[in-house]
Amino acid sequence: MHRKVIVPSVLAASLLLVIPASAASSGPGAPGIGDPYYPASGNGGYDVSHYDLRLKYQPTTDLLEGTATLIATAKQDLSRFNLDFGLKVSEIRVNGAKAKFAASGAHEVEVTPAKPLARNTPLTVVVTYAGKPSELKIDGWTAWHRTPDGGVAAQEPDSAVWWFPSNDHPLDKATFDVSVNVPDGTQAISNGVLQSQTSRLGWTRYNWRSNKPQATYLATLAVGRFDITTDRTASGLPIVNAYSKDLGDNAGAARASVERTGEVTEWLEGVFGPYPFNALGGYVPNVNAGFALETQTRPFYGPRQFQNGANVSVVVHELAHQWYGDSVSVEGWKDIWINEGFARYSQWLWSEKEGEGTAQELADWAYSLRPAEDAFWQVKPGDPGPENQFHGAVYDRGALALQALRNEIGDEKFFQILKGWPTERAYGNAKVGDFVRYAEKVSGKPLAQLFETWLYTPGKPAASALNPAAARPEARSAQPSAPAKPTAEPRSWKKIAETNTVHDH
């Protein structure tokens, strides 16, 4: 569920050096936030704290009209700054005054305020715009999914540019109010809590609020005709699930999976700590897509995730992201293992809990499945490159790294780390190296070599690397042995493998 933008490392480095350090504190804000995987994503010079999106959408024509208000702060003296956006803009105001603006690059809007902005100046940026998102192609591709009765915004690493102007990178997280006016009989689904729903003159307005910091790619919008179920968790959080009315043969399996959201979340709280947001749920629109996405508080599930029957494992994966990926987000897209290795490992833990194969059995199977010469082992989960950002190795080899860590430090410290990390880093960003240092601090053990082996060294690690503690001479016989080739496939493996397309658009 991502758009591959392949940038050679030399070119990426040169793009990051366009603005000299001596000029970084004045003049125009950089057109990118500094991510070498996606040099054009995000922007420099300001930080957004809140988005207020007031939208009107006509499903029959795919016309989206909007007014976006961004509450931000200048992080340097600014003569000009950029927004990431692709639809046609009719007006921009900065602190109440009309600003000049011009399209630039594939999805940039250069904004020149009426007068320069001083560092630490509060900014209110109001953008008025309209367009048909499905007609917007960037590099020949769109993140907007048309449905028979509406449209959906859901993609990774970017989808915002198709429906609202933003600083489009996980480093700049913000709270959101999303207000959407749609024809009566049509629903609008977004993140967080539904604050109100009002009807007037044939149109119904839905007002959604996400009150914790949220990356722009985790903002979602779905307009169409849905069957909606509501409930509350034991702690009182609202659950909202939505299913397109025309899902066909996948409808029952989708419900049998997504309706277990509350149950799965309660179990994950025992693994990762308190749920970090104000609502939960999921939605399954009638789109021609097989992937799923951890859109904050309300994951998106493509119908094909359920074409072979119910699959709670994909729900576990996307809900695990609420801690690992949504609350604690990547600092740069090369840190994607912090999202995907943990979400995949949560599926292994669910299998263990359900008695369908322990995490060790799944690790042994995953390790034995591919021979050493398989290209799978050449991908480095800790820095896979933009072309391999969602490669299976980031998931399975990434989860193997966690099983190796568990075997090395023992269950007590391992689960202390799984729960402590998203608590200590809540609502922030992190690098892979930050997690390694945290694991060393909690465990009291040097772990750099373990992570170097599993995350950064091409080639299939030695079998003993999966259980380093057992491989040492002083190992006690009670410890599990290094993996031999398993005699049987764990019962949960097929359902877990069905989620391998979870991040393929």
Side-chain angles (χ1 to χ4, degrees), residues 337 376-381 392-402 452-461:
W337 172 76
F376 171 92
W377 299 107
Q378 297 304 310
V379 177
K380 300 178 293 182
V394 177
Y395 296 73
D396 283 347
R397 184 171 175 167
L400 284 166
L402 291 172
E452 181 68 25
T453 296
W454 285 102
L455 300 184
Y456 295 104
T457 304
K460 186 173 184 176

Side-chain angles (χ1 to χ4, degrees), residues 121-377:
T121 298
L123 301 179
T124 300
V125 182
V126 181
V127 184
T128 306
Y129 58 93
K132 297 182 179 182
S134 62
E135 295 181 358
L136 173 62
K137 299 293 193 298
I138 297 175
D139 298 329
W141 180 85
T142 179
W144 184 266
H145 309 269
R146 283 289 270 152
T147 65
D149 51 19
V152 174
Q155 277 287 356
E156 184 180 15
D158 51 0
S159 63
V161 295
W162 278 266
W163 65 291
F164 68 95
S166 70
N167 192 6
D168 193 17
H169 191 276
L171 267 177
D172 193 358
K173 299 162 79 170
T175 55
F176 279 75
D177 282 317
V178 180
S179 177
V180 192
N181 211 19
V182 295
D184 286 349
T186 304
Q187 291 91 23
I189 307 295
S190 192
N191 311 82
V193 173
L194 182 63
Q195 301 290 105
S196 63
Q197 175 183 333
T198 57
S199 295
R200 182 174 181 270
L201 300 176
W203 290 78
T204 301
R205 181 169 290 280
Y206 294 83
N207 295 298
W208 295 90
R209 170 166 291 177
S210 196
N211 69 349
K212 297 295 184 184
Q214 177 174 288
T216 47
Y217 86 94
L218 297 173
T220 193
L221 175 65
V223 177
R225 298 180 183 272
F226 294 97
D227 289 325
I228 296 175
T229 66
T230 60
D231 200 354
R232 288 192 176 270
T233 64
S235 60
L237 293 178
I239 304 172
V240 177
N241 298 324
Y243 312 87
S244 282
K245 290 179 177 291
D246 54 357
L247 282 180
D249 292 343
N250 295 329
R255 287 174 180 261
S257 307
V258 178
E259 288 300 310
R260 296 183 68 180
T261 290
E263 171 197 351
V264 170
T265 301
E266 289 173 10
W267 171 75
L268 283 169
E269 286 188 304
V271 180
F272 297 145
Y275 181 72
F277 302 121
N278 65 342
L280 59 155
Y283 74 98
V284 189
N286 185 10
V287 295
N288 183 26
F291 68 87
L293 177 62
E294 62 270 19
T295 39
Q296 193 159 304
T297 72
R298 192 146 295 111
F300 160 96
Y301 300 98
R304 291 205 301 272
Q305 285 291 320
F306 311 107
Q307 63 186 356
N308 295 321
N311 193 346
V312 180
S313 190
V314 70
V315 177
V316 172
H317 184 105
E318 300 308 332
L319 290 176
H321 275 313
Q322 304 304 303
W323 287 263
Y324 283 84
D326 293 12
S327 178
V328 186
S329 302
V330 297
E331 185 165 309
W333 282 109
K334 75 174 184 177
D335 302 303
I336 190 65
W337 172 76
I338 289 179
N339 294 13
E340 302 306 344
F342 291 81
R344 174 50 54 88
Y345 195 77
S346 72
Q347 295 175 270
W348 292 8
L349 291 177
W350 177 261
S351 170
E352 193 168 281
K353 175 250 184 190
E354 292 288 281
E356 295 186 339
T358 66
Q360 184 66 56
E361 290 167 342
L362 286 159
D364 291 346
W365 185 261
Y367 179 87
S368 68
L369 204 58
R370 299 175 179 88
E373 61 271 17
D374 195 301
F376 171 92
W377 299 107

